[in-house]
Amino acid sequence: MKSPYLFIFLLWNFFAIAQQEFKTPDSLSDKTYDELLDRINNYDMDSTTVNLYINSYIEKAKNESDSKNLILGYRKLLNKKPQALALQYADSILKLANTLKKDEEIGYAYLDRAVIYYISKNYQKSLDNYLLADKYINEENDAYTQYKIKYGIANIKLYLGNYEEALELFSLCTDFYKKGEGYNNRQGYLNSFCSVGLCYFKLGRYQECSETNKIGIKESQGADYKVIHNYFLQSEGINQFFQKNYKEAIQYLSKSLPEIAKNNDFMNIALNDMYLGKSYLKLNEEETGINYLQKVDSILQKHHYANIELRKTYEVFINYYKEKGDLENQLLYTNRLLDADKILEKNYKDLISTIHKEYDTAELVASKNNLEKTLKRNTIISYSIYGLSSIIILIITYMLIANYKKQKRYKQKYEELIAKAKEREKQPEQAIQATKVNTDELDINKDIVFKILKGLETFEHKEEYLGIGLTQSLLAEELDTNTTYLSKVINHYKGKNFNSYLNELRVNHAVSLLKNSPTHRR
């Protein structure tokens, strides 16, 4: 059994460590608890000044060994500290409350812990502490706080999908706070009434939800209740979405979003964005809709958060990209959904047995594996196609370069041929000149030479050289001579043998066509 002295030592040692660097200013050292509380509750002061008064209050309680006021001082710090540190203060408050042996103080301490656990999304421990607080606080000793506990338990039941039980508790809270007077009771009434409408919505009782929201929107007019006023607007926007009134849903949600954003309520900001996105998608405004859903994803990733409602964002993404055939985004949001389920499993452990969802974990894992295999296969195919395409491009490039060089050579030859043709046009006809030269060296009768030259002149003029299958024998026969005489005359007067003579005539003809005919040039 642990020593009570050790417990007291550790408890006060914790307080000593927390306060060791603080010393009450002389100007506050003689202030009473009431005077310090007046300043602490002054909303016009900045946070630094408020903390100064709170620490002075705590220091005073420590010096006077006043456990009750020490609890009150530490309770003032709860909403000013990070969640982990706030829970440490709440644990210490509970230990101090137990030393006072007063049910109300113990109940309030459990209530502090329940609220902190709820904010931390630890719903099991939050519910446990709410139920413990309910044991110590009843309507006889503190009806207001007792209904505050009922309200907290109802919130957890609503979050976990126990809508009928939540509706019953919220209705009790609504009736109780409505009868009370003052700001706190009015705020309690509006908060409870808004939650009643939300329960109606969750139960599919959309008409009753709308009636509740419209009353709430009307009764929450005014600056004092503008926060809850916008949650009524949000509730009605979501309600209109489920009634397929998408334009009305967008109007309500858009109107509520700025004030909810000011409240830094990231969960409800994400909820607004999700239903705005889904509404725009229903109206076939895909780009706007997807932009809103991407905002939801950013919020959830930033806060490493998930709940049953917001989980649907990833289901919408998966279905959307499945229809688009976008495997990469389909895989991305499948992984996001699996991560969300891990968070849900952690938060809902031992609280609920079933989460109704379109995609269960087994199906998601199988889908993820198939998507990864498909993407891997597509990647291999893509690389193969890229490789083959690269080879084809290289071959085509090589062929284009070779063809370009070939065409360049052809052009050069063409230009040379054209130049020769122009030069030839300037020269007199060889056949005519040939009749005037000495023929003695040929050892052929002059008349025969003349006859052959005239025949060649006619042969060239009539373009008979274009005939198919033309040979020296055939030409000699046509000119009424023999191949020997023809060969000697061509060699002597044309300066080349028969085949070269024939080829030159044909080439010159082709050049002439290229030079004078646009059709042949093309």
Side-chain angles (χ1 to χ4, degrees):
M1 183 175 179
K2 294 182 179 178
S3 167
Y5 299 106
L6 177 59
F7 157 72
I8 294 172
F9 170 77
L10 291 174
L11 176 63
W12 286 99
N13 184 57
F14 168 76
F15 289 147
I17 292 171
Q19 295 290 321
Q20 63 183 355
E21 296 182 2
F22 179 79
K23 183 178 180 181
T24 303
D26 293 338
S27 59
L28 301 180
S29 60
D30 59 346
K31 298 291 184 182
T32 65
Y33 289 116
D34 288 339
E35 288 174 330
L36 291 171
L37 278 177
D38 285 340
R39 302 301 295 167
I40 292 170
N41 294 329
N42 185 348
Y43 294 103
D44 295 330
M45 288 196 307
D46 61 84
S47 59
T48 303
T49 307
V50 171
N51 284 332
L52 176 65
Y53 279 95
I54 293 174
N55 286 324
S56 297
Y57 191 100
I58 292 171
E59 188 71 13
K60 179 179 178 66
K62 281 175 54 183
N63 292 335
E64 296 178 5
S65 300
D66 189 336
S67 297
K68 186 174 181 179
N69 278 305
L70 188 57
I71 288 173
L72 182 57
Y74 272 89
R75 185 166 284 131
K76 291 292 182 181
L77 283 176
L78 290 180
N79 63 347
K80 301 180 183 300
K81 299 293 182 182
Q83 291 173 5
L85 189 55
L87 187 58
Q88 291 181 29
Y89 280 103
D91 288 342
S92 298
I93 288 171
L94 177 59
K95 292 173 183 177
L96 277 173
N98 280 315
T99 64
L100 295 175
K101 297 182 180 180
K102 290 185 178 181
D103 286 351
E104 298 99 312
E105 290 294 343
I106 296 172
Y108 297 151
Y110 279 120
L111 182 57
D112 291 333
R113 284 161 52 89
V115 172
I116 294 169
Y117 277 124
Y118 183 82
I119 294 171
S120 303
K121 310 297 184 294
N122 191 331
Y123 301 108
Q124 174 65 69
K125 290 189 176 181
S126 178
L127 182 58
D128 290 343
N129 279 273
Y130 270 125
L131 294 174
L132 287 168
D134 192 48
K135 285 175 60 178
Y136 286 94
I137 298 175
N138 53 54
E139 290 189 51
E140 292 183 5
N141 55 26
D142 190 343
Y144 179 87
T145 303
Q146 213 273 332
Y147 275 91
K148 190 175 178 181
I149 294 169
K150 290 184 187 296
Y151 180 82
I153 295 172
N155 263 322
I156 294 177
K157 289 183 177 293
L158 173 64
Y159 185 85
L160 300 177
N162 300 322
Y163 305 128
E164 291 285 2
E165 296 176 27
L167 176 59
E168 183 179 350
L169 287 171
F170 282 130
S171 297
L172 289 172
C173 293
T174 300
D175 293 339
F176 171 79
Y177 290 121
K178 190 174 183 179
K179 296 173 185 176
E181 296 181 355
Y183 174 81
N184 288 339
N185 279 299
R186 183 67 177 172
Q187 190 70 51
Y189 158 69
L190 290 172
N191 286 340
S192 300
F193 195 49
C194 187
S195 297
V196 166
L198 187 54
C199 288
Y200 283 138
F201 161 74
K202 292 293 187 181
L203 291 167
R205 294 156 66 174
Y206 302 129
Q207 187 59 40
E208 290 168 281
C209 177
S210 279
E211 291 171 0
T212 302
N213 287 330
K214 287 174 183 177
I215 295 171
I217 290 169
K218 183 178 180 180
E219 293 192 2
S220 60
Q221 298 288 344
D224 289 342
Y225 307 107
K226 62 182 179 180
V227 174
I228 189 61
H229 177 78
N230 285 279
Y231 284 107
F232 276 114
L233 291 173
Q234 181 196 54
S235 177
E236 186 56 22
I238 296 171
N239 190 44
Q240 289 296 326
F241 172 84
F242 277 86
Q243 295 180 76
K244 300 182 179 180
N245 301 323
Y246 305 119
K247 291 183 178 179
E248 289 82 355
I250 290 171
Q251 289 175 356
Y252 278 107
L253 292 166
S254 298
K255 193 173 181 180
S256 68
L257 186 56
E259 197 61 41
I260 292 175
K262 285 182 185 178
N263 201 32
N264 294 321
D265 184 353
F266 76 85
M267 192 277 285
N268 277 294
I269 294 171
L271 197 64
N272 255 37
D273 286 338
M274 183 183 77
Y275 280 106
L276 280 168
K278 291 171 74 173
S279 296
Y280 278 111
L281 286 176
K282 291 293 185 181
L283 294 172
N284 294 319
E285 297 185 37
E286 292 186 355
E287 185 176 353
T288 304
I290 290 299
N291 283 340
Y292 272 108
L293 293 179
Q294 286 172 341
K295 290 180 182 179
V296 179
D297 178 46
S298 296
I299 292 171
L300 298 183
Q301 295 303 307
K302 178 181 177 181
H303 295 277
H304 193 61
Y305 176 77
N307 67 24
I308 296 174
E309 191 75 5
L310 293 173
R311 180 188 186 279
K312 296 174 184 176
T313 300
Y314 297 124
E315 294 180 352
V316 174
F317 269 129
I318 292 170
N319 289 330
Y320 176 79
Y321 286 113
K322 184 183 288 185
E323 290 179 5
K324 296 292 181 183
D326 188 336
L327 298 181
E328 289 188 7
N329 274 314
Q330 197 178 331
L331 178 59
L332 170 65
Y333 292 109
T334 297
N335 284 324
R336 291 273 205 270
L337 187 50
L338 286 168
D339 290 340
D341 281 348
K342 289 178 184 177
I343 296 171
L344 289 173
E345 186 179 336
K346 178 182 177 182
N347 289 343
Y348 281 80
K349 189 178 181 181
D350 301 327
L351 289 173
I352 55 174
S353 57
T354 303
I355 298 176
H356 298 289
K357 50 193 179 182
E358 183 177 344
Y359 295 97
D360 61 26
T361 302
E363 182 183 350
L364 279 173
V365 171
S367 176
K368 173 188 174 182
N369 292 335
N370 287 333
L371 284 169
E372 287 175 342
K373 288 178 182 177
T374 303
L375 282 170
K376 185 177 181 180
R377 183 171 62 252
N378 288 351
T379 300
I380 293 171
I381 293 172
S382 296
Y383 283 138
S384 300
I385 291 172
Y386 291 151
L388 182 60
S389 299
S390 299
I391 293 170
I392 292 172
I393 290 170
L394 287 172
I395 293 171
I396 292 173
T397 302
Y398 171 78
M399 292 175 67
L400 287 172
I401 292 172
N403 185 63
Y404 170 76
K405 290 180 178 180
K406 189 176 181 181
Q407 293 297 325
K408 190 175 181 181
R409 288 196 304 271
Y410 286 163
K411 183 178 180 182
Q412 184 179 356
K413 289 183 178 181
Y414 165 76
E415 289 173 349
E416 290 174 355
L417 288 170
I418 295 297
K420 287 180 180 179
K422 289 180 179 179
E423 186 65 29
R424 193 167 51 250
E425 287 174 357
K426 296 177 182 180
Q427 297 175 358
E429 288 289 338
Q430 280 187 341
I432 295 172
Q433 293 294 325
T435 60
K436 299 179 181 180
V437 299
N438 185 9
T439 61
D440 293 342
E441 59 191 67
L442 289 177
D443 192 26
I444 303 174
N445 186 280
K446 184 184 296 184
D447 292 335
I448 294 173
V449 172
F450 180 75
K451 178 183 176 182
I452 292 172
L453 288 173
K454 289 298 287 183
L456 290 175
E457 185 178 346
T458 303
F459 171 75
E460 293 175 10
H461 180 72
K462 291 183 178 181
E463 299 178 349
E464 294 177 2
Y465 50 80
L466 298 176
I468 299 174
L470 182 64
T471 64
Q472 184 170 287
S473 297
L474 289 173
L475 181 58
E477 185 178 345
E478 185 179 337
L479 298 179
D480 194 21
T481 186
N482 57 55
T483 57
T484 302
Y485 287 170
L486 177 62
S487 178
K488 286 183 178 183
V489 169
I490 290 174
N491 285 336
H492 182 75
Y493 290 101
K494 302 298 181 180
K496 53 183 71 66
N497 62 31
F498 173 77
N499 287 330
S500 298
Y501 165 65
L502 189 63
N503 287 335
E504 185 179 86
L505 289 174
R506 289 172 174 174
V507 169
N508 289 340
H509 178 78
V511 171
S512 179
L513 289 176
L514 290 172
K515 179 181 175 184
N516 301 310
S517 171
T519 302
H520 285 84
R521 275 201 301 274
R522 284 196 297 272

